[in-house]
């Protein structure tokens, strides 16, 4: 029977929703055990949150000052040491997971499976290729530990309400000194994180300028939504690159996605294909975005968005 170890993603004492999505992927394996490992300088709060995820058997709590910041080269040796006895080690296909899990796979001497989106068996999986335009079946060696990143857009969050046991563990692993934390540069915002937001409002080239992008932020604030952008908007300098949604940006699956002034290039559609309800607002009625939108509004975004805001109260 499979035994799965999931690496928890967290920041500032808050567990990222991507961890619960990894649990859903793990449950598809029908394993004997699903454990979560939390690495931090003080993991108590995050471990308590992880213990509430349904289906989790045990939370391994690793306390180490070196884990104060999520540095892949520091955490990977610890995870590789803990992987003994587990058949699968999973992490989210987020910036955190994409940085960390290849290091874990390298230390274990196995190939990583990226963007796991479906489980066909204990060692058989599906993952997207060609920007999501094709799905490939992957067979991992049965005699090796499976190390994989989970495509969070393809899995729901596992339910809450459990009370798994929490076990403090120590890890005997040599930690490198060649990589150290210098600083974290991130824009301060009260809006939801783009990759975990239930609602997202994105702007494209049609918004016209950095100044005009304020209208996107205003609607997002009304909806309690995260803010995204197309690559065209990022390349034009309207917003920073961390807001980019699409093949070369973030792959997201919010319950509601509002695309404003976005034509719908295939690279952008790749990033939102698993979204729940897609609303498109564009003055070009022939824009490709309308082919996949659930609700389409053809018109001037500078007229429609203020009307939407007013209707939202």
């Amino acid at each position: 029977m499979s035994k799965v170890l999931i690496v928890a993603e967290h920041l500032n004492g808050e567990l990222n929703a991507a961890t619960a999505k990894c649990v859903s992927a793990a449950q598809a394996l029908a394993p004997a055990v699903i454990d979560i490992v939390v690495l931090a300088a003080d993991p108590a709060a995050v471990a308590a949150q992880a213990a509430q995820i349904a289906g989790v058997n045990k939370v391994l709590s690793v306390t180490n000052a070196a884990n104060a910041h999520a540095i892949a080269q520091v955490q990977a040796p610890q995870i590789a040491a803990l992987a003994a006895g587990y058949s699968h080690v999973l992490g989210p296909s987020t910036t955190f997971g994409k940085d960390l899990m290849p290091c874990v796979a390298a230390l274990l001497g196995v190939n990583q499976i990226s963007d796991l989106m479906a489980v066909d068996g204990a060692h058989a999986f599906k993952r997207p290729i060609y920007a999501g335009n094709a799905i490939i079946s992957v067979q991992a060696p049965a005699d090796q530990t499976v190390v994989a990143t989970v495509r969070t857009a393809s899995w729901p969050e596992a339910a809450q309400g459990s009370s798994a046991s929490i076990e403090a563990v120590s890890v005997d692993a040599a930690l490198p000194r060649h990589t150290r934390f210098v600083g974290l540069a991130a824009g301060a915002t009260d809006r939801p994180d783009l990759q975990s937001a239930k609602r997202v409002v994105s702007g494209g080239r049609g918004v016209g300028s950095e100044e005009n992008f304020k209208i996107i932020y205003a609607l997002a604030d009304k909806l309690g939504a995260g803010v995204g952008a197309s690559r065209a908007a990022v390349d034009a300098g309207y917003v920073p690159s961390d807001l980019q949604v699409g093949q070369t940006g973030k792959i997201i699956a919010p319950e509601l996605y509002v695309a404003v002034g976005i034509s719908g290039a295939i690279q952008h559609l790749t990033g939102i294909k698993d979204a729940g309800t897609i609303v498109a607002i564009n003055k070009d009625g022939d824009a490709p975005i309308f082919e996949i939108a659930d609700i389409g509004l053809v018109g001037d975004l500078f007229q429609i968005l203020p009307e939407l805001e007013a209707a939202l109260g």
Side-chain angles (χ1 to χ4, degrees):
M1 290 289 286
S2 301
K3 291 185 64 178
V4 183
L5 180 65
I6 294 171
V7 183
E9 178 175 353
H10 58 91
L11 182 65
N12 299 327
E14 291 293 328
L15 185 68
N16 192 294
T19 305
K21 294 185 176 185
C22 287
V23 173
S24 289
Q27 289 172 330
L29 291 162
V33 169
I34 299 175
D35 292 342
I36 294 178
V37 59
V38 177
L39 299 100
D42 181 7
V46 177
Q49 296 169 49
Q52 296 176 21
I53 302 175
V56 175
N57 173 66
K58 181 170 58 180
V59 176
L60 306 180
S61 176
V62 181
T63 303
N64 192 325
N67 295 328
H69 304 285
I71 301 174
Q73 289 72 20
V74 172
Q75 293 192 350
Q78 300 172 73
I79 296 166
L82 289 168
Y86 289 96
S87 59
H88 297 69
V89 182
L90 305 181
S93 188
T94 58
T95 302
F96 164 81
K98 290 176 180 178
D99 186 33
L100 173 63
M101 300 309 289
C103 297
V104 175
L107 290 172
L108 293 177
V110 301
N111 293 320
Q112 177 193 283
I113 297 173
S114 301
D115 284 339
L116 187 156
M117 65 182 301
V119 173
D120 294 331
H123 295 84
F125 312 97
K126 286 186 173 65
R127 63 175 298 268
I129 58 174
Y130 300 130
N133 289 309
I135 308 300
I136 188 173
S137 294
V138 179
Q139 186 75 35
D143 60 345
Q144 295 182 358
T145 303
V146 174
V147 177
T149 57
V150 173
R151 181 182 169 95
T152 54
S154 299
W155 301 92
E157 292 180 35
Q160 299 288 313
S162 185
S163 56
S165 62
I166 300 175
E167 178 183 334
V169 297
S170 59
V171 181
D172 183 16
L175 304 185
R177 297 182 179 180
H178 58 74
T179 303
R180 66 186 188 279
F181 178 82
V182 174
L184 176 64
T189 177
D190 294 329
R191 297 184 182 89
D193 174 70
L194 180 57
Q195 286 191 296
S196 58
K198 304 294 185 184
R199 295 176 292 275
V200 172
V201 180
S202 280
R205 190 195 306 274
V207 176
S209 68
E210 179 180 2
E211 177 68 20
N212 289 346
F213 222 85
K214 291 178 180 178
I215 199 169
I216 303 297
Y217 291 121
L219 179 60
D221 289 341
K222 283 284 186 179
L223 293 172
V227 173
S230 68
R231 176 168 181 169
V234 171
D235 288 347
Y238 301 168
V239 291
S241 60
D242 60 331
L243 297 187
Q244 184 176 324
V245 174
Q247 178 185 355
T248 53
K250 292 182 170 68
I251 308 295
I252 60 175
E255 295 173 2
L256 172 66
Y257 185 77
V258 183
V260 182
I262 295 175
S263 63
I266 186 61
Q267 290 86 352
H268 186 79
L269 301 185
T270 296
I272 61 169
K273 63 186 295 291
D274 294 307
T277 299
I278 299 175
V279 178
I281 301 172
N282 199 300
K283 66 180 180 181
D284 179 7
D286 295 323
I289 190 74
F290 288 117
E291 295 178 13
I292 57 96
D294 299 288
I295 300 171
L297 296 174
V298 179
D300 185 347
L301 67 91
F302 297 105
Q303 177 182 345
I304 293 174
L305 263 59
E307 292 176 356
L308 282 176
E309 281 188 60
L312 290 169

